[in-house]
């Protein structure tokens, strides 16, 4: 287990989690916000995206009261991306997450999760900044991140392909 806070537990991804990832990432309600409703995942796609040995992201399962409800990953931002985002020598980590069980949306769990992960990255990984790049139209996610202390830094035009078109994203940051 990485950490636990307010009934939210984050643990490393395990082989058994493949099935729940397929469930979440084939649900159009979840895909609208994460990968796109036109991009559902089957087992092969989950294995490639989450279990490939070359994947440098640290994938984790989010549990609430012992039940798997979502996914979060973190990674040290590479030099090319740091340059694109405007960072120099700082130790910068990125993170991405989703709650895969829609019945757990709008209950404050995302705020607990994001705050706890930022605390973990600052303390355990000595991150000097934590960044995310949510799509600009995803107001609910951005509102959650701002409540957690993230600040909008700049717009990333046509940054992510989602449901048939390139979407603008916000570069948001939490700094020590």
């Amino acid at each position: 287990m990485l950490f636990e806070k307010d009934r939210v537990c984050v643990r490393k991804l395990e082989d058994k989690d493949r099935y729940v990832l397929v469930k979440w990432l084939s649900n159009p309600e979840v895909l609208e916000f994460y990968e796109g409703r036109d991009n559902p995942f089957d087992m092969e796609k989950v294995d490639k995206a989450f279990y490939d040995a070359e994947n440098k992201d640290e994938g984790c399962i989010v549990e609430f009261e012992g039940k798997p409800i979502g996914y979060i990953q973190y990674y040290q931002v590479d030099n090319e991306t740091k340059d694109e985002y405007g960072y120099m020598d700082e130790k910068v980590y990125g993170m991405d997450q989703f709650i895969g069980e829609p019945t757990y949306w709008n209950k404050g769990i995302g705020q607990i999760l994001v705050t706890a992960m930022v605390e973990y990255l600052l303390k355990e990984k000595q991150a000097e900044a934590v960044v995310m790049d949510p799509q600009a139209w995803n107001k609910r996610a951005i509102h959650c991140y701002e409540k957690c202390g993230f600040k909008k830094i700049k717009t990333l035009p046509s940054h992510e392909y989602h449901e048939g078109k390139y979407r603008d994203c916000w570069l948001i940051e939490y700094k020590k």
Side-chain angles (χ1 to χ4, degrees):
M1 175 174 58
L2 250 55
F3 59 82
E4 187 170 1
K5 181 177 183 177
D6 297 336
R7 301 180 294 167
V8 174
C9 171
V10 173
R11 63 170 174 78
K12 293 282 188 180
L13 193 62
E14 300 173 7
D15 284 344
K16 67 180 182 180
D17 299 318
R18 287 177 160 83
Y19 303 99
V20 74
L21 285 168
V22 169
K23 174 189 168 197
W24 294 335
L25 293 173
S26 60
N27 179 343
E29 199 173 359
V30 175
L31 288 170
E32 178 181 0
F33 298 98
Y34 195 67
E35 287 287 334
R37 291 166 287 197
D38 60 346
N39 191 22
F41 281 57
D42 57 15
M43 189 63 73
E44 182 180 337
K45 198 167 180 178
V46 162
D47 283 345
K48 187 172 189 227
F50 296 92
Y51 291 93
D52 188 299
E54 293 180 24
N55 185 352
K56 302 291 186 232
D57 300 343
E58 292 288 340
C60 302
I61 290 293
V62 179
E63 295 179 347
F64 183 76
E65 297 179 337
K67 175 183 169 49
I69 65 158
Y71 175 81
I72 190 165
Q73 65 187 18
Y74 64 91
Y75 48 90
Q76 192 163 356
V77 175
D78 62 37
N79 288 333
E80 182 180 326
T81 306
K82 280 174 39 176
D83 190 49
E84 175 190 350
Y85 287 177
Y87 292 94
M88 301 298 277
D89 297 325
E90 297 103 327
K91 190 172 186 181
V92 181
Y93 272 79
M95 55 189 259
D96 306 289
Q97 60 280 318
F98 65 87
I99 295 178
E101 298 288 341
T103 56
Y104 288 85
W105 291 357
N106 300 313
K107 297 188 182 307
I109 296 168
Q111 190 175 347
I112 294 166
L113 172 64
V114 169
T115 300
M117 181 55 81
V118 167
E119 290 170 0
Y120 173 81
L121 293 173
L122 294 175
K123 182 179 179 193
E124 300 299 326
K125 301 295 182 181
Q126 291 76 48
E128 296 172 80
V130 179
V131 297
M132 291 190 279
D133 57 358
Q135 292 181 24
W137 65 268
N138 193 345
K139 305 285 189 220
R140 185 178 67 204
I142 293 167
H143 179 69
C144 172
Y145 305 149
E146 288 177 327
K147 285 170 70 174
C148 297
F150 281 82
K151 305 280 185 235
K152 290 177 180 171
I153 302 302
K154 67 179 178 178
T155 302
L156 302 169
S158 302
H159 186 68
E160 186 172 297
Y161 193 76
H162 183 83
E163 297 190 344
K165 58 180 152 178
Y166 283 94
R167 310 279 180 157
D168 293 348
C169 294
W170 274 105
L171 172 62
I172 61 173
E173 146 191 284
Y174 184 101
K175 268 222 168 161
K176 267 179 147 174

